[in-house]
Amino acid sequence: MANVLITAAIPQAALEVLQKAGLNVESYTGNDLITKDELIKRIAGKDYLITPLSTQVDQDVIDADPQLKLIANYGAGFNNIDVKYAREKNIPVTNTPKVSTVSTAEVTTGLIISLAHRVVEGDKLMRTTGFAGWAPLFFLGHELAGKTLGIFGMGQIGQAVAKRMAAFDMKIIYTQRHQLAPEIEQKLNAKFVSMDELISQSDVLTLHAPLTPQTQHILGAEQFKQMKNSAYLINASRGPVIDEAALLTALQNKELAGAALDVYEREPEVAAGFKKLDNVILTPHIGNATVEARDAMANIVANNVVLVNQAKEPLYIIN
């Protein structure tokens, strides 16, 4: 009987698929994230590894299990895994794309609206000092209609955000390595621009690109100085895409109007300076934190294990 190690609690849907296939499942149930030492200890003798993107799977971990046949990453990202080394060892690595699209796009939309209309800031006010009453110039935010939404990374999530924000009558511009087909641009009413144009023209700049050596710190001090002082920045992609120290300085110097972060450069750590700013919204990596998305992700990783165990090719191989 083949053995599966799951390094964090995941939806029951995955366990049902694995057990129905007759696989022996071992799950890590600790309250904290699994440590590297514990992972190396547990992975020995396992055929399959299911792991969330919060668990680092490096060369040491991979070498600790010579019979490993698959690393199924529970998440759309995969920067937690040494995919190149896994490939050298002929171990496929899979992820769970697509199923996070709706949830992440909805969270991004919510963050944009909350920033522009100061929703979180207003909630904090009402829970503390309160307010004296409605007044013409009190607590003003900004309407999104007529403003320019810049999207860095126009994949499935970026396109889903564009679709939703177009309903707010926002002008959509975007950039990425390759321009979309004309028919897709027309459908989204989106215009392809250079990175410099995206940064300088956006009233709201939202990031939806994967973390690669090319995108790491794609936004830093120089880029923040190019942005409008009235602009908002949203990051629901990967934390290291932004130079957080530079962002904090830019916000403190009022080079930006505000930011909303769902991911962090040194996750789960959050720089203390961000917590002191009322114009910053901080959420705990909840982009795809819905029952629907997480169940779908669970089904993908479990079914990929079953496919490999049946000598079939799994879905969404990334290496």
Side-chain angles (χ1 to χ4, degrees), residues 175-249:
T175 199
Q176 59 182 8
R177 284 188 302 170
H178 305 293
Q179 185 172 355
L180 295 172
E183 58 270 22
I184 298 177
E185 287 187 336
Q186 185 175 5
K187 181 179 179 181
L188 297 171
N189 197 24
K191 179 184 177 182
F192 182 75
V193 297
S194 68
M195 187 65 174
D196 285 342
E197 289 175 301
L198 187 84
I199 291 168
S200 63
Q201 295 179 14
S202 296
D203 295 300
V204 179
L205 177 57
T206 183
L207 310 180
H208 300 288
L211 178 61
T212 67
Q214 291 72 37
T215 62
Q216 184 166 1
H217 283 192
I218 193 74
L219 292 185
E222 180 181 346
Q223 288 73 34
F224 297 135
K225 291 183 186 300
Q226 295 174 23
M227 291 179 68
K228 298 178 181 179
N229 292 343
S230 58
Y232 299 111
L233 176 66
I234 318 290
N235 189 12
S237 58
R238 289 291 175 265
V241 171
I242 293 176
D243 182 340
E244 279 191 3
L247 174 60
L248 180 56
T249 298

Side-chain angles (χ1 to χ4, degrees), residues 152-174:
F152 177 59
M154 200 61 139
Q156 290 184 330
I157 294 174
Q159 291 180 37
V161 171
K163 177 182 175 182
R164 285 156 177 77
M165 299 316 299
F168 286 79
D169 296 323
M170 295 195 77
K171 175 184 176 182
I172 311 296
I173 61 175
Y174 77 97

Side-chain angles (χ1 to χ4, degrees), residues 102-115:
V102 170
S103 179
T104 306
E106 290 180 353
V107 167
T108 301
T109 300
L111 291 175
I112 292 171
I113 297 168
S114 296
L115 265 182

Side-chain angles (χ1 to χ4, degrees), residues 132-155:
W134 187 93
L137 299 180
F138 174 69
F139 219 76
L140 301 182
H142 290 279
E143 294 180 359
L144 295 168
K147 303 297 193 305
T148 297
L149 174 67
I151 302 176
F152 177 59
M154 200 61 139

